[in-house]
């Protein structure tokens, strides 16, 4: 397993992964935010690979000096194998390098089911952001 920064050549594989793993409504919203994040700061988009195949992706963003995990997706056949935790830890390290004030997990109707992944990575209820404040990558 390798976790690395997103590269432009990853675009098709990542969009296919999102399309395969996310619901249609979640996919549409995620693709808009994904495009904005790539244009603002592509270093906060990470991919996990296995045998040079992209099997996971995480999108983070920094908003008001806070780091936010926005969306995580791992191919169904690679779930429960540590890829999600590796992506979360790698993004956490990026946030720490950027000296964010606080690291939060954005929770919306599309990602309630992945809360246990973040909890198993050590995050607690206080780290989940369910506020009405929408991230700039979602607001546009």
């Amino acid at each position: 397993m390798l976790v690395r920064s997103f590269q432009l050549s990853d675009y098709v594989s990542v969009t296919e992964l999102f399309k395969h793993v996310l619901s249609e409504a979640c996919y549409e919203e995620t693709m808009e935010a994904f495009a904005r994040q790539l244009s603002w700061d592509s270093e906060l988009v990470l991919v996990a690979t296995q045998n040079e195949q992209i099997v996971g992706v995480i999108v983070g963003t920094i908003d008001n000096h806070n780091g936010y995990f926005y969306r995580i997706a791992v191919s169904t056949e690679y779930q429960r194998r540590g890829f999600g935790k590796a992506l979360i830890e790698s993004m956490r390290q990026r946030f720490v390098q950027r000296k964010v004030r606080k690291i939060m997990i954005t929770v919306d109707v599309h990602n309630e089911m992945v809360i246990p992944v973040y909890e198993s990575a050590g995050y607690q209820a206080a780290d989940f952001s369910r506020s009405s404040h929408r991230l700039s990558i979602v607001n546009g």
Side-chain angles (χ1 to χ4, degrees), residues 46-93:
L46 303 174
V47 296
T49 63
Q50 181 72 28
N51 300 323
E52 298 182 26
Q53 174 188 353
I54 293 175
V55 298
V57 60
I58 191 166
V59 178
T61 194
I62 296 174
D63 196 19
N64 293 323
H65 305 290
N66 292 322
Y68 290 88
F69 293 100
Y70 172 68
R71 191 74 73 222
I72 187 170
V74 175
S75 293
T76 308
E77 55 271 23
Y78 289 92
Q79 291 176 5
R80 302 189 193 290
R81 292 189 181 181
F83 287 90
K85 281 185 184 179
L87 285 162
I88 291 166
E89 177 55 23
S90 294
M91 184 63 70
R92 185 194 70 75
Q93 290 173 11

Side-chain angles (χ1 to χ4, degrees), residues 112-123:
E112 287 276 348
M113 76 290 287
V114 298
I115 288 174
V117 177
Y118 287 102
E119 290 173 334
S120 70
Y123 292 90

Side-chain angles (χ1 to χ4, degrees), residues 7 13-14 20 22 34 39 43-45 59 61-62 67 69-70 82-83 92 104-105 116 126 136-138:
Q7 300 166 357
S13 296
V14 167
H20 178 72
L22 306 177
F34 174 56
S39 70
E43 289 296 310
L44 293 178
V45 178
V59 178
T61 194
I62 296 174
F69 293 100
Y70 172 68
F83 287 90
R92 185 194 70 75
M104 303 289 293
I105 298 97
S136 51
I137 62 168
V138 180

Side-chain angles (χ1 to χ4, degrees), residues 89-100:
E89 177 55 23
S90 294
M91 184 63 70
R92 185 194 70 75
Q93 290 173 11
R94 295 273 167 107
F95 288 147
V96 169
Q97 290 170 350
R98 301 283 185 92
K99 297 180 177 19
V100 299

